[in-house]
Amino acid sequence: MSSYFRHYQAFHAIIETGTVTGAAEQLSVSQPAISNLLGQLERKTKLKLFERSRGRLLPTPEAMVLFEEIDTVVRGLDHVNQAVVDLQNQKAGQLQVATNHAMAFGFMPGEIARFAADKPHLTIAFQSQYSSKIQEWVIAGLFEIGICELPVRHDGLDRIPFFFEIMCALPEGSPLAAHEVLTPSLLDDVPFIVMGADHMVNRRAREAFHREGVNMRVRCHTDLFRNALNMVKQGLGVTLVDPFTLSSDDRQGYVLRRFAPQILLDVVIVTARGRPISAIGEQFLEQVSASMTELAVPPGRVPEL
């Protein structure tokens, strides 16, 4: 079959277009080349495939039987060739990305949608999970790209670090909104909604309150910045919130103020060391890195932690 394929392709194009000229245009070859391929096919098969009538080629009954047999094969190869072109132009393939929950509500779906806008054949595997699980997934090859919080617990991961300033969210109408910058002293004994006890933002906030010798009164624990912000909207207390949650929120029911001393959220993009990233993955990595850089604290302004 393989030694005959070019001949079958020319034969298929002639029947589809009705002329040698049309077949030549479809296959981007010359008319003599099409005529030569057809003549060779008739000689090799010892079949008369076309009748010539008034400048047109009319397929014989034998030709139509042969056409039905090869139609699926020829169209299949056309799909393969198009897939190769799409891959070369980074219009197809599979994007595999996992992120922490904070990015999953708005930031990452927006990035994926922007990336996929001109790639109709791109398939997407996207999942959100806790940071330790994301690292396991990338190590195992389930996802090419992971975005998670520090610490990185696996030596086999390459990483690109980013640092994001945490803001303080207050219930709408809070008298504390009169201050442009909030400090532990100003928030002494104010009801606080905090992330889990081991979360870096909670830990760094507690350290800041301890240094000033004031009380951080915890009213509620939660595992998601989104939950904490929604509780602020209900007037349950104040919280510290990341820029990704804020970027996908309606900004209703609360006010934002900077917090001093500055508290950072440390985020890394991780990929498996020694495992090549697909061209699609590399392209997305470049896009999302640029978007995260726009939100991040510049490297020169990141204090030693």
Side-chain angles (χ1 to χ4, degrees), residues 12-254:
H12 187 275
I14 292 171
I15 290 186
E16 275 206 324
T17 63
T19 65
V20 170
T21 301
E25 291 176 352
Q26 185 180 97
L27 298 179
S28 300
V29 298
S30 67
Q31 293 182 42
I34 293 292
S35 297
N36 185 47
L37 287 167
L38 178 59
Q40 291 177 14
L41 182 62
E42 288 185 319
R43 287 192 297 273
K44 288 181 177 181
T45 60
K46 298 180 181 180
L47 295 172
K48 186 175 182 61
L49 299 174
F50 291 94
E51 298 285 353
R52 278 87 176 160
S53 176
R54 298 180 182 180
R56 293 186 63 84
L57 296 177
L58 302 178
T60 63
E62 292 81 2
M64 294 310 299
V65 172
L66 183 61
F67 178 81
E68 293 297 327
E69 291 297 323
I70 69 170
D71 182 54
T72 301
V73 175
V74 172
R75 292 185 187 278
L77 184 67
D78 288 341
H79 286 308
V80 171
N81 290 336
Q82 185 59 52
V84 170
V85 171
D86 287 341
L87 287 168
Q88 290 171 338
N89 295 330
Q90 297 183 2
K91 302 291 185 182
Q94 185 177 51
L95 176 65
Q96 301 171 314
V97 59
T99 72
N100 60 358
H101 294 304
M103 286 185 162
F105 290 101
F107 176 82
M108 190 55 62
E111 288 294 309
I112 291 173
R114 182 160 66 94
F115 183 74
D118 63 344
K119 301 173 181 63
H121 302 296
L122 179 70
T123 58
I124 300 159
F126 170 57
Q127 185 63 270
S128 66
Q129 187 48 270
Y130 293 108
S131 293
S132 58
K133 182 60 70 174
I134 289 171
Q135 295 173 33
E136 293 174 10
W137 284 349
V138 174
I139 284 286
L142 299 176
F143 289 87
E144 272 199 320
I145 299 168
I147 306 179
C148 57
E149 297 169 9
L150 287 175
V152 174
R153 303 183 185 277
H154 297 272
D155 292 335
L157 291 172
D158 289 324
R159 62 205 74 179
I160 306 171
F162 299 86
F163 304 93
F164 301 95
E165 182 176 10
I166 294 296
M167 299 291 287
C168 188
L170 313 167
E172 201 167 49
S174 169
L176 290 167
H179 302 276
E180 290 299 316
V181 179
L182 295 173
T183 65
S185 294
L186 289 171
L187 296 172
D188 182 20
D189 211 37
V190 172
F192 236 97
I193 303 154
V194 301
M195 298 291 284
D198 294 332
H199 195 277
M200 72 178 74
V201 170
N202 186 9
R203 187 175 66 251
R204 290 170 181 174
R206 285 183 176 278
E207 291 169 356
F209 274 73
H210 179 73
R211 284 194 299 269
E212 292 194 20
V214 294
N215 181 40
M216 183 178 183
R217 179 157 69 92
V218 175
R219 186 174 191 185
C220 180
H221 290 88
T222 183
D223 288 332
L224 298 177
F225 285 112
R226 172 69 58 187
N227 291 345
L229 187 59
N230 285 338
M231 290 179 179
V232 173
K233 294 180 181 184
Q234 299 301 317
L236 292 174
V238 305
T239 197
L240 298 174
V241 64
D242 71 298
F244 302 107
T245 299
L246 293 171
S247 70
S248 61
D249 192 74
D250 61 10
R251 298 295 181 97
Q252 301 295 313
Y254 63 95

Side-chain angles (χ1 to χ4, degrees), residues 283-300:
Q283 188 182 3
F284 183 75
L285 190 60
E286 182 178 345
Q287 175 191 300
V288 77
S289 294
S291 296
M292 290 173 66
T293 298
E294 290 181 4
L295 291 173
V297 176

